[in-house]
Amino acid sequence: MGKIKMLVTDLDGTFFYNGMPTEANREAVAKARAQGVKVFACTGRSWAMCSYTMRHIGMDDWAVTGNGASVTQVSTGKTYAPCYVQAKYVEPIVRFIAERGIYKLNTYCGDMMYTTPELLPWWLENADKQNQKLPEEQWTRFAVCCDLDEMIEKSKNVCELIRLETGYERTPMPEEIQKYIDTLDEFQVTTSFDGHWDINHKDANKVRGMKYLAEKFGFALDEVMAIGDDINDIQMIQAAGIGVAMGNAQEEVKKAAPYITDRCENNGFAKALEKWVLD
C-alpha cells in the first residue's frame, strides 16, 4: 500500500454530519493538507448547493459536483470537464416524468437549479425563506420557472443531472421511469439521498471526477483514498488505492468497499484519515 497523496470525499453523511463538518473532521483535513495531501470534495450536490460551503471548509480549490458531471474550481466557480445530459434528452425525460403527475423534480445546472411550482421538491420548499436569513453568497441558488417550457429551455444546454423525488424515505426508482430511461441507453441512475434518484449522463460519475483531479495533479490512483457512504460513491471507492465506506453507509456500499470506518456521527471520516493518511 503506497503513501496517500490525494483524498476525495463525499460530503453529506461522510464529511458532513447534519449538513456541516464536525470539528474533528475539519482538523483531520487541516493535518492532511499540512503534510502535503490534496483534499477534494466529490459530491452529488450541485455547485448551486455547495458554493458557499466549499469556500469555508478548508479543502483544496477544486470540487467534483453533480455526481461527477462537472469539476469546479472553488475560488472562481468555473466549471471544467462537463459531462452534461445531452440537450436532446432533457426535454423528453423531464416531460415524461412531469406527465406522470405524481413526482417532483428539478434540474442541476451548475450554479443554478430549476424547477416549477408544480414540480417543486420538498427540500426546496423552505429554501427561499432560509435564503432570506443569510448573506447572498450563502444561498442555495434555485429558480422556480413559470412553466415546464421555461424550465426545459433554461436547463437543456447545461443540465448536469435530473433529480427525481419519490418521497421522504429510500424507495426504489419508479419502474415505469427506469424502463423509459433504459430505452435511451445514455444514462446511469443513482442515489445519494433518501427518496431521490439522480439521472446522469452514463459517463458522469464520481470516479470520473476523481481521475480528472488525479491526472491534473500528477497522482496515480493507488496514491488516492476515496471515502463515502452511498450508492453514488461505490465506483470511486472501488477505483481508489484505498476505498473506505462509512460505518453508516448503505449495506451495498459496505459490501463493495475494501475498508470500513466508524459512523459519521462518531467522526468516522477523521478516524479514517488517522488510520490511512496522516503520518
Side-chain angles (χ1 to χ4, degrees):
M1 188 180 299
K3 183 177 176 63
I4 295 300
K5 298 179 180 179
M6 172 177 145
L7 168 70
V8 291
T9 178
D10 175 54
L11 291 180
D12 298 286
T14 301
F15 183 67
F16 288 170
Y17 179 61
N18 287 337
M20 290 298 293
T22 65
E23 190 58 34
N25 288 351
R26 286 181 183 272
E27 290 177 359
V29 166
K31 289 177 181 178
R33 293 186 67 194
Q35 69 180 48
V37 178
K38 291 288 187 181
V39 182
F40 303 111
C42 198
T43 179
R45 292 189 182 203
S46 67
W47 182 242
M49 295 173 66
C50 64
S51 56
Y52 173 80
T53 305
M54 285 306 308
R55 293 184 175 106
H56 293 80
I57 58 177
M59 293 188 185
D60 281 280
D61 192 35
W62 296 82
V64 178
T65 55
N67 288 329
S70 297
V71 179
T72 304
Q73 187 173 19
V74 173
S75 59
T76 65
K78 187 174 180 180
T79 297
Y80 296 81
C83 189
Y84 297 150
V85 175
Q86 290 188 51
K88 66 181 180 180
Y89 290 120
V90 173
E91 179 169 1
I93 293 173
V94 169
R95 290 196 185 280
F96 184 89
I97 296 172
E99 286 168 0
R100 314 280 58 79
I102 53 176
Y103 305 112
K104 307 294 186 180
L105 68 89
N106 68 290
T107 55
Y108 282 19
C109 301
D111 65 354
M112 187 62 71
M113 297 181 291
Y114 297 106
T115 187
T116 71
E118 295 77 19
L119 298 174
L120 185 69
W122 67 263
W123 56 277
L124 280 177
E125 288 175 357
N126 296 316
D128 193 52
K129 291 180 180 178
Q130 280 186 301
N131 283 347
Q132 302 310 314
K133 300 176 182 178
L134 298 169
E136 185 173 357
E137 65 269 19
Q138 296 185 39
W139 289 6
T140 294
R141 294 178 54 81
F142 72 101
V144 180
C145 300
C146 294
D147 54 33
L148 204 61
D149 290 340
E150 181 186 359
M151 177 184 173
I152 290 167
E153 183 62 30
K154 289 185 174 180
S155 302
K156 65 182 182 182
N157 294 315
V158 288
C159 184
E160 295 172 319
L161 64 84
I162 298 167
R163 171 164 281 193
L164 167 71
E165 179 193 307
T166 56
Y168 294 86
E169 299 177 354
R170 188 167 294 255
T171 54
M173 178 69 162
E175 186 176 359
E176 61 180 339
I177 296 176
Q178 184 66 66
K179 285 183 176 179
Y180 174 69
I181 296 300
D182 289 344
T183 67
L184 303 177
D185 195 33
E186 288 285 335
F187 301 93
Q188 63 170 324
V189 177
T190 188
T191 182
S192 62
F193 189 49
D194 288 352
H196 292 78
W197 290 91
D198 296 340
I199 302 167
N200 281 92
H201 187 286
K202 64 181 179 181
D203 294 329
N205 52 62
K206 289 189 176 185
V207 71
R208 172 182 173 272
M210 178 180 75
K211 288 179 177 179
Y212 177 92
L213 291 173
E215 182 176 344
K216 177 178 178 62
F217 290 97
F219 303 130
L221 287 184
D222 62 6
E223 297 175 311
V224 178
M225 175 173 151
I227 182 168
D229 73 305
D230 218 321
I231 306 303
N232 63 338
D233 298 316
I234 290 176
Q235 289 171 303
M236 72 172 187
I237 286 172
Q238 292 182 321
I242 296 179
V244 183
M246 296 296 293
N248 52 280
Q250 296 293 315
E251 287 304 313
E252 186 175 345
V253 183
K254 291 181 182 179
K255 290 177 182 178
Y259 305 102
I260 300 174
T261 186
D262 206 341
R263 296 180 61 84
C264 185
E265 62 267 34
N266 296 330
N267 297 312
F269 171 90
K271 291 176 181 177
L273 268 63
E274 288 285 350
K275 183 171 184 177
W276 289 294
V277 177
L278 300 179
D279 292 336

